Amino acid sequence: MTLTGCNDSFLEKYPVTSLTEENAFQSYDNFKAFMWPCYEMFSNTNIATSTTAIGRNSHYLGDVYAGYLEQRGASSQNKYAFQTVTNATSGNGWNFSSFIRRINIMLSHVDDSNMTEEEKNHWKSVGYFFHSFWYMELIDRFGDVPWVDTPLDDTSEEAYGSRMPRLEVADKVLDRLLWAESNIGNTAIYEKKDGSNTINQNCVRAAISRFTLREGTWRKYHELGSYDRYFTECKRVSKLLMQDYPSLYTGTDGQPGAGYGEMWTTDDLSTVPGIILYQQWLETIKPGHSCYYEHTSSHDIEMHQGTVDLYLCKDGKTISNSELYAGDKDIYSTFRNRDPRMYHTIMPPYKVVDGKGDYTTWSYTSDPADREYIDIMGPNESCSNPGMGMKRLPGQNWSVSLVRRVPNLQGGAQYTIEGKKYGPHAYVACRSGYYVWKNWDNWEENYNNAQVNTADKPIFKIEEILLNYAEAMYETGAFDQNVAEETINKLRTRAGVEKMTVANIDENFDPKRGKYYPKNNTTGILVDPVLWEIRRERIIELMGEGFGFYDVRRWRMAPWFVNMQQKGMWISKNELSSLTLLNETTGTSDGANGSMTEGYIYLFNDPIKEGKGWLEKYYLYQVPLEEIALNPNLTQNPGWDKE
């Protein structure tokens, strides 16, 4: 997928050369060339799992909105927690004119082409896949949406139609995906025609797995009914994919959880087990810049203590019940004996000494505690496996300047290492103490030019499918130890975490488990203990990949996650400079002159104590006001019609 983006000018003015609609869609290659730009859909930032943008506009953003992660800035409160979502005059993801128009133009010419019947069915299937993938986003955002399956212009009566009910649109999407699954060309044959890493039957099945779980649970927890078919299809296609992709990538570094971490830091995912479709980056054609960005002062994505507390200990138990849990009153203790996926998501703590005083070389301190996580992750020395993994400590910025200490607190006080005083670095800094480094590695070329990174990024992978299957099996009353072994325990074994034993999960397994909020219920209901563990596994395994805002909304758990007060690590006051401690009684900062001597770092006020918090209307996005002005047949989503 090293292709140029959709050319909207071409779409609006088509045709613009001597080619006409009568002669442009004849051969197989005509259709292939016309559909290439639709692969840019996977990079479109309206879709929260997009793999192209960086920092706050990347795949992290969906998890920021969900309340799993936050942005470093002191004024970067979650807009849903503090009710600062602004009116959508235009945009907001309401788009039927680019991808949808291109797909519909192609589909309108398939039957008149010179292709064989099998080839026609193949391109119909590819078109149905992309049409459905975009509609998955439209449905998730707006619920009821117009159904557009023919090319439209300003004179088309359908362009001024009303919104079709969600249940009807979703059923149409599922029908199209099922047709595509049955009619897309044989992968072995059509990979030679279309090229490798293109849409095939397993990509269609992965989309079905994602969509049916999302829509089935939305219908169930939003009390819309008619969800049984969706869970049935999710289980069916997920099981087929699990059979086709039986192995997980275990990585090359030998670290606990290496395969999990290296999924985002590997130069070539084409041979990695479990990858169904991926975003390819090539330095000479289409380079990326996510690794570079995370080595700079611009990267502002971090985790707060509430999400850190979701990570299990290595014995598979929660921090409330595990004997391995060392507490959170010391940052080294917080990370100790935890699920290694935590280390691959948040940069672990350490201290080192400058080597030659040139900020590029280093040596260990005299305190063995300072190297605990350097030894776990592997020391930052030469890149012995170029193109693979290489998430190492200590950290360096893009110009290989050393980060002497992590956490590197923006607003922290001076600190001492081996008798020398230092101030915090401006780069690779955070406020909470938990710096997110999912795309970080030590082999990609980083200098003062972002566009040089080449690590591929997954779009569809078997890990998500395992989690989809586990959840769908629970929702249909079929989750048991055998299913846990097929799904969650495969993920835990790779991560180095003790397996789930379903029989041991009772009301006391996690006394701090989350709540969901049925309509008109503001107090919430505790999630079933087993279901909570299935959802926890999903949150941890897919952390930072953009699934969060889809998930907390379909589960109707958004208030539990979004309204949680975000706070940083536990620290003594004398280690702070401009940062302050959190007064948990008031839900505000203790202030520079407060009486507290230690506590959690203050990040943002408590939204509930501020009289704010998640609103029911946020479950669906606002239909842009300009669209309603242009088309009086459009209606607004509940709650937004009062804006």
Side-chain angles (χ1 to χ4, degrees):
M1 282 174 253
T2 55
L3 310 162
T4 58
C6 271
N7 185 332
D8 289 341
S9 173
F10 173 74
L11 292 176
E12 295 302 320
K13 299 176 182 178
Y14 171 82
V16 294
T17 69
S18 59
L19 291 176
T20 68
E21 289 203 32
E22 286 69 33
N23 65 26
F25 292 100
Q26 295 299 316
S27 71
Y28 188 95
D29 285 343
N30 291 155
F31 285 85
K32 180 169 70 173
F34 189 77
M35 287 299 288
W36 277 135
C38 286
Y39 281 88
E40 293 298 318
M41 193 178 294
F42 300 117
S43 304
N44 187 282
T45 54
N46 283 314
I47 298 173
T49 54
S50 168
T51 58
T52 296
I54 55 175
R56 64 175 59 192
N57 296 317
S58 71
H59 48 84
Y60 291 127
L61 190 57
D63 291 349
V64 169
Y65 288 166
Y68 300 171
L69 304 174
E70 87 276 350
Q71 295 168 333
R72 182 182 64 216
S75 60
S76 297
Q77 299 97 329
N78 187 304
K79 65 180 182 179
Y80 294 99
F82 287 88
Q83 300 177 9
T84 58
V85 181
T86 56
N87 270 334
T89 303
S90 61
N92 217 24
W94 184 276
N95 189 327
F96 298 84
S97 63
S98 52
F99 293 119
I100 294 298
R101 178 169 170 78
R102 175 175 286 271
I103 294 161
N104 287 338
I105 288 174
M106 185 276 288
L107 290 172
S108 71
H109 291 285
V110 169
D111 289 333
D112 299 329
S113 71
N114 294 328
M115 295 187 293
T116 67
E117 204 61 32
E118 181 184 90
E119 290 173 335
K120 291 177 182 179
N121 285 343
H122 175 74
W123 281 111
K124 283 183 181 178
S125 299
V126 173
Y128 284 175
F129 169 89
F130 281 117
H131 189 273
S132 299
F133 197 76
W134 189 253
Y135 259 90
M136 286 165 56
E137 183 67 22
L138 291 171
I139 293 169
D140 182 82
R141 284 175 175 249
F142 303 106
D144 302 347
V145 288
W147 178 254
V148 181
D149 59 1
T150 57
L152 304 180
D153 58 33
D154 290 343
T155 64
S156 301
E157 183 178 343
E158 296 87 347
Y160 301 93
S162 59
R163 299 163 69 191
M164 182 179 286
R166 179 193 189 113
L167 298 187
E168 294 180 32
V169 180
D171 286 349
K172 285 179 175 289
V173 169
L174 180 54
D175 288 342
R176 281 195 156 192
L177 285 171
L178 293 176
W179 193 94
E181 179 192 8
S182 298
N183 290 277
I184 198 165
N186 178 275
T187 299
I189 296 173
Y190 280 81
E191 189 175 70
K192 296 177 182 178
K193 291 172 173 278
D194 296 354
S196 60
N197 196 37
T198 51
I199 303 304
N200 58 26
Q201 186 181 60
N202 281 337
C203 294
V204 176
R205 285 174 173 164
I208 294 172
S209 176
R210 181 180 296 182
F211 176 60
T212 51
L213 179 68
R214 183 184 295 176
E215 182 64 16
T217 48
W218 186 286
R219 292 183 178 201
K220 179 175 180 178
Y221 292 101
H222 289 260
E223 303 170 27
L224 302 180
S226 303
Y227 48 75
D228 289 341
R229 180 193 183 203
Y230 284 81
F231 291 138
T232 298
E233 290 298 338
C234 182
K235 293 189 295 185
R236 180 186 66 81
V237 295
S238 298
K239 189 69 172 179
L240 291 171
L241 288 168
M242 289 159 62
Q243 292 168 357
D244 283 352
Y245 297 88
S247 303
L248 300 183
Y249 180 49
T250 56
T252 60
D253 284 355
Q255 307 169 32
Y260 168 81
E262 289 182 22
M263 196 72 69
W264 290 79
T265 59
T266 293
D267 189 48
D268 182 8
L269 290 180
S270 64
T271 60
V272 169
I275 293 294
I276 302 169
L277 189 71
Y278 62 95
Q279 176 75 57
Q280 185 178 12
W281 299 108
L282 297 173
E283 184 178 353
T284 55
I285 302 175
K286 187 177 182 180
H289 50 326
S290 53
C291 177
Y292 158 82
Y293 197 76
E294 293 183 14
H295 285 75
T296 71
S297 59
S298 298
H299 181 58
D300 67 350
I301 301 297
E302 55 187 44
M303 191 178 289
H304 61 88
Q305 189 68 46
T307 304
V308 170
D309 290 346
L310 287 176
Y311 283 82
L312 296 173
C313 294
K314 287 184 178 179
D315 59 5
K317 297 180 180 179
T318 68
I319 62 172
S320 298
N321 287 313
S322 174
E323 294 181 359
L324 295 180
Y325 182 54
D328 66 1
K329 301 304 183 284
D330 169 78
I331 192 65
Y332 292 123
S333 298
T334 302
F335 279 78
R336 190 168 298 126
N337 300 325
R338 302 295 288 279
D339 183 335
R341 287 174 290 191
M342 183 171 162
Y343 313 152
H344 288 271
T345 307
I346 315 163
M347 185 178 288
Y350 66 83
K351 290 179 185 176
V352 293
V353 177
D354 286 339
K356 301 175 182 178
D358 58 5
Y359 302 103
T360 62
T361 58
W362 63 276
S363 60
Y364 294 110
T365 71
S366 58
D367 186 350
D370 291 335
R371 62 178 290 175
E372 178 177 357
Y373 299 100
I374 299 177
D375 291 342
I376 289 174
M377 301 303 296
N380 179 5
E381 297 170 341
S382 62
C383 293
S384 57
N385 292 318
M388 303 296 285
M390 301 309 296
K391 198 184 288 295
R392 299 293 195 224
L393 296 175
Q396 295 170 301
N397 78 343
W398 61 270
S399 67
V400 301
S401 292
L402 187 67
V403 182
R404 301 184 195 89
R405 183 182 80 161
V406 164
N408 176 35
L409 292 176
Q410 184 184 63
Q414 279 193 327
Y415 57 89
T416 301
I417 300 179
E418 305 288 86
K420 291 184 179 180
K421 284 190 174 294
Y422 302 100
H425 301 289
Y427 45 85
V428 192
C430 65
R431 290 173 67 223
S432 72
Y434 302 113
Y435 186 88
V436 172
W437 66 333
K438 196 173 184 79
N439 294 288
W440 176 297
D441 60 58
N442 288 8
W443 64 263
E444 288 187 84
E445 187 175 2
N446 296 308
Y447 56 90
N448 199 17
N449 178 351
Q451 299 287 348
V452 291
N453 297 158
T454 60
D456 294 341
K457 307 298 177 185
I459 295 171
F460 293 128
K461 54 191 174 78
I462 197 61
E463 288 83 353
E464 178 199 348
I465 306 304
L466 297 178
L467 294 162
N468 293 348
Y469 183 71
E471 194 174 336
M473 290 293 279
Y474 176 87
E475 295 293 355
T476 54
F479 185 84
D480 57 16
Q481 189 62 40
N482 289 332
V483 177
E485 295 296 336
E486 291 181 292
T487 57
I488 288 172
N489 287 340
K490 291 184 71 171
L491 300 173
R492 289 196 182 179
T493 297
R494 177 179 67 176
V497 178
E498 187 63 35
K499 291 182 177 182
M500 170 190 283
T501 302
V502 178
N504 292 342
I505 302 173
D506 58 17
E507 294 289 333
N508 298 317
F509 190 82
D510 185 1
K512 299 179 181 178
R513 69 183 186 276
K515 293 181 177 182
Y516 72 99
Y517 295 79
K519 290 181 180 179
N520 303 317
N521 184 325
T522 58
T523 58
I525 300 172
L526 286 173
V527 176
D528 175 86
V530 174
L531 179 57
W532 177 241
E533 294 311 309
I534 294 170
R535 290 179 178 177
R536 182 205 304 274
E537 195 71 23
R538 180 181 184 87
I539 292 168
I540 298 308
E541 181 69 27
L542 301 180
M543 180 61 67
E545 297 183 23
F547 289 91
F549 201 53
Y550 299 106
D551 290 342
V552 301
R553 289 161 55 237
R554 66 185 175 90
W555 296 332
R556 287 194 67 89
M557 288 190 69
W560 194 85
F561 287 100
V562 173
N563 294 346
M564 183 186 302
Q565 181 167 20
Q566 296 178 347
K567 59 188 181 184
M569 60 182 277
W570 186 276
I571 197 168
S572 65
K573 188 173 183 177
N574 61 16
E575 293 183 74
L576 303 177
S577 178
S578 60
L579 291 174
T580 58
L581 299 177
L582 169 66
N583 184 321
E584 296 189 80
T585 301
T586 64
T588 61
S589 168
D590 191 54
N593 299 316
S595 60
M596 296 176 63
T597 59
E598 61 180 356
Y600 295 105
I601 294 173
Y602 167 80
L603 298 179
F604 308 107
N605 287 352
D606 186 319
I608 299 303
K609 291 178 180 177
E610 288 281 294
K612 304 296 184 181
W614 178 268
L615 298 176
E616 178 70 18
K617 70 177 183 179
Y618 291 154
Y619 280 110
L620 292 175
Y621 286 55
Q622 182 183 26
V623 177
L625 300 178
E626 282 186 0
E627 297 296 333
I628 294 176
L630 290 169
N631 179 6
N633 290 317
L634 293 178
T635 56
Q636 186 56 269
N637 274 324
W640 294 107
D641 50 6
K642 297 180 177 60
E643 297 297 322

